[in-house]
Amino acid sequence: MSLPISAVWPGAPFPRGATWDGEGVNFAIFSENATRIELCLFNPTGRREIQRIELRERTDLIWHCYLPEARPGMLYGYRI
């Protein structure tokens, strides 16, 4: 994965979680009360956050995005 991530697509609300499709990763997370969700990307050791991506798409109560540049093994977390 090249950083920073330069492409963020809307993605899909299902399946939930982080799903690799062979070309990129779809992120989908449920939250009934969130007003904002950010996807935080970390360096390979997990000690340093290197980028935040705001999830702008929401279908019902599921926030989602697709990162075509993401690869399996990428370390991430959410700020909700």
Side-chain angles (χ1 to χ4, degrees), residues 8-80:
V8 180
W9 299 350
F14 294 101
R16 290 189 205 150
T19 306
W20 165 251
D21 67 3
E23 296 182 19
V25 179
N26 189 75
F27 293 88
I29 184 169
F30 171 87
S31 178
E32 187 170 348
N33 299 309
T35 57
R36 181 178 178 162
I37 295 182
E38 295 174 312
L39 176 64
C40 305
L41 306 180
F42 293 87
N43 71 345
T45 65
R47 293 181 174 259
R48 187 171 55 91
E49 183 180 322
I50 52 178
Q51 188 174 0
R52 281 190 195 169
I53 298 168
E54 184 175 355
L55 276 66
R56 298 181 185 274
E57 300 295 326
R58 183 172 48 186
T59 303
D60 298 321
L61 299 175
I62 301 173
W63 300 69
H64 51 91
C65 75
Y66 182 85
L67 304 181
E69 300 166 314
R71 297 294 177 258
M74 180 182 72
L75 300 178
Y76 70 94
Y78 291 103
R79 290 180 58 91
I80 300 173

